[in-house]
Amino acid sequence: MTPLLDVRNIAKRYGARIGCADVSFDLYPGEVMGIVGESGSGKSTLLNCLAGHLEPDAGEVLFDTRAEGPRDTVTMSEPERRMLARTDWAFVHQNARDGLRMGVSAGGNVGERLMAVGARHYGQIREQALDWLERVEIAPDRIDDRPSAFSGGMQQRLQIARNLVTGPRLVFMDEPTGGLDVSVQARLLDLLRGLVRQMGLSAIIVTHDLAVVRLLADRLMVMKSGRVVETGLTDQVLDDPQHAYTQLLVSSVLQV
Amino acid sequence: MTDLNQYNFAYLDEQTKRMIRRALLKALAIPGYQVPFASREMPMPYGWGTGGVQVSAACLTPEDRFKVIDQGADDTTNAVSIRKFFERTAGVETTERTAEATVIQTRHRIPEEPLGEGQILVYQVPIPEPLRFLEPRETETRKMHALEEYGLMHVKLYEDIARHGKIATSYAYPVKVQGRYVMDPSPIPKFDNPKMEMAAIQLFGAGREQRIYAVPPYTSVVSLDFEDHPFEASKVDQPCALCGAGDTYLDEVIMDDEGGRMFVCSDTDYCATRRAEGHLGALGVPAEDSAA
Ligand SMILES: [Zn+2]
């Protein structure tokens, strides 16, 4: 079986400082990979390199494209990469405002990706938007409201709907529950877990919150100072951490 | 204004005109693509169509006959000023007759009478970027044009329908040119959009924003829409009160203090020509009586 994503020796420096270095891993269809670490561990840099937002200094990111099989997204042309970004990929930002159009209605936000790939039937676009609002537990009568009128949790759910509406094959998530109240986080996590299971999503989730990966991730990579210090099945890593840093991370969660 | 006579033909120096002509040729070669140009200060405010004036200046030759319309009318302050400007600086003949003009500068309308080969229509453009409404970043809109990422235009139309039940955009209605670039046709009424597939050359000048774009003759110009909300070149469902024309774009005119109103052709030359030919609307008077 061809991996959906085959990451080889990704490195990114900021001057003398290491953003991330020597990161390699595979992601198979239907798998969710969690990347954990403290802020400054390089996990966000890595995610941005994988999603094409940052150009790595070295390494390959081979994505199994529909048409041509594995292609290195680092060296492909910008138009091809942007095409992937609005079709087969999705990116959920920590701050919903970065991932939504605040001046556009909820329906327009969800419909944008559909229209970007050629949907030209208003009634059908609206129907799909309604369906997705329902799936992320937003009342249908909010479809014409702007996200600025939504709570933080609703905005994040809207961002998820907007990203998943075209059935992306790979979803990047950057701290999807960050900045939300604990009770709101719990609801969002339940929702995400449901969607991941129903849709068989392949995803890479970056977070500092071990509860998030415990619920969502099949496998885990622990990063420290730009490098991966431990990888394995999520339960294995969390229940029996081998690296001293992972042990510290896990115990600090237990203390909370 | 008297010392305008000391300026070069059509006010601009030859080097500037060459620069603008190069931009125009590039614009014609890539229909609908916005070409940057170094807009010059003109002796009039930006709102008066300095972009259009510079394009006209670069196109005019001493043999041309020049017409200026503002919302369809030849006699507004704006139209009269621009016409006088070129009478003085270029000494070209001017006319109010669409058929007789070789260069027509316009704000907000396309003449009703079909334009032919050999004519140039110059549009004054306030905001050339059709994507500006939803994407304020210039670097990003350029990329979207380059990569043909136009989904956002339909988001704008979607929002229209969601809010108003139909596409309420009635001016500056976005079009796709020759199947490639999405273009703002300037604030003409959408009634005029179908006319943009024409035999004449169409040039667009945005002075403040320093952009020129063009539609060559016989180029396809398609108004964006949805399958279930097709584009409609709508107008008021009435004939012109003066000439009786049923197929022209109408302006609403208040007649008296009691709120009396009538709808008349916005294209004053077209309306007058029809009346001269004997066409009469409900409130019209024969042409010789209204000659003043
Ligand atoms: Zn009339």
Side-chain angles (χ1 to χ4, degrees), chain A residues 78-79 82 86 101 103-105 107-108 112 115-116 119-126 129 143-144 146, chain B residues 134-135 137 140 143-144 147-152 154-155 157-159 161-163 225-229:
Chain A
E78 192 187 13
R82 283 175 71 113
R86 64 175 196 270
R101 291 194 187 277
V104 169
S105 69
E112 180 174 348
M115 292 181 252
R120 293 294 178 261
H121 191 285
Y122 175 83
Q124 286 166 9
I125 293 165
R126 200 160 168 86
I143 187 169
D144 294 329
R146 293 184 178 186
Chain B
L134 291 168
E135 180 51 73
R137 291 169 298 174
E140 188 61 18
K143 208 165 266 181
M144 292 160 99
L147 304 180
E148 248 178 295
E149 295 178 1
Y150 289 133
L152 211 48
H154 276 87
V155 173
L157 298 178
Y158 170 96
E159 292 290 288
I161 303 172
R163 207 166 308 150
D225 62 2
F226 287 102
E227 290 156 20
D228 48 344
H229 286 268

Side-chain angles (χ1 to χ4, degrees), chain A residues 71-90:
Chain A
R71 295 272 318 273
D72 184 3
T73 65
V74 175
T75 53
M76 72 170 45
S77 70
E78 192 187 13
E80 289 178 293
R81 206 162 40 232
R82 283 175 71 113
M83 175 63 99
L84 272 185
R86 64 175 196 270
T87 54
D88 275 352
W89 290 358

Side-chain angles (χ1 to χ4, degrees), chain B residues 209-268:
Chain B
E209 305 256 344
Q210 315 211 49
R211 291 288 183 279
I212 280 171
Y213 51 101
V215 176
Y218 308 111
T219 299
S220 95
V221 179
V222 177
S223 302
L224 303 183
D225 62 2
F226 287 102
E227 290 156 20
D228 48 344
H229 286 268
F231 171 80
E232 264 181 284
S234 55
K235 63 179 274 285
V236 180
D237 191 20
Q238 288 205 24
C240 170
L242 297 180
C243 77
D247 56 356
T248 60
Y249 189 73
L250 304 176
D251 282 339
E252 189 176 3
V253 178
I254 308 290
M255 294 190 299
D256 51 45
D257 294 342
E258 277 80 65
R261 60 187 59 190
M262 63 176 179
F263 289 95
V264 300
C265 292
S266 108
D267 185 336
T268 50

Side-chain angles (χ1 to χ4, degrees), chain B residues 91-159:
Chain B
V92 289
E93 253 185 84
T94 56
T95 179
E96 298 193 359
R97 309 298 296 271
T98 298
E100 289 171 7
T102 54
V103 178
I104 302 172
Q105 183 171 331
T106 180
R107 174 173 172 269
H108 297 191
R109 275 312 311 277
I110 296 175
E112 302 291 358
E113 188 170 337
L115 301 183
E117 293 177 8
Q119 289 183 300
I120 299 176
L121 184 59
V122 177
Y123 295 77
Q124 302 173 196
V125 180
I127 298 168
E129 180 49 73
L131 297 161
R132 181 70 48 83
F133 171 76
L134 291 168
E135 180 51 73
R137 291 169 298 174
E138 167 92 20
T139 48
E140 188 61 18
T141 54
R142 276 181 178 229
K143 208 165 266 181
M144 292 160 99
H145 282 294
L147 304 180
E148 248 178 295
E149 295 178 1
Y150 289 133
L152 211 48
M153 287 313 309
H154 276 87
V155 173
K156 183 176 189 283
L157 298 178
Y158 170 96
E159 292 290 288

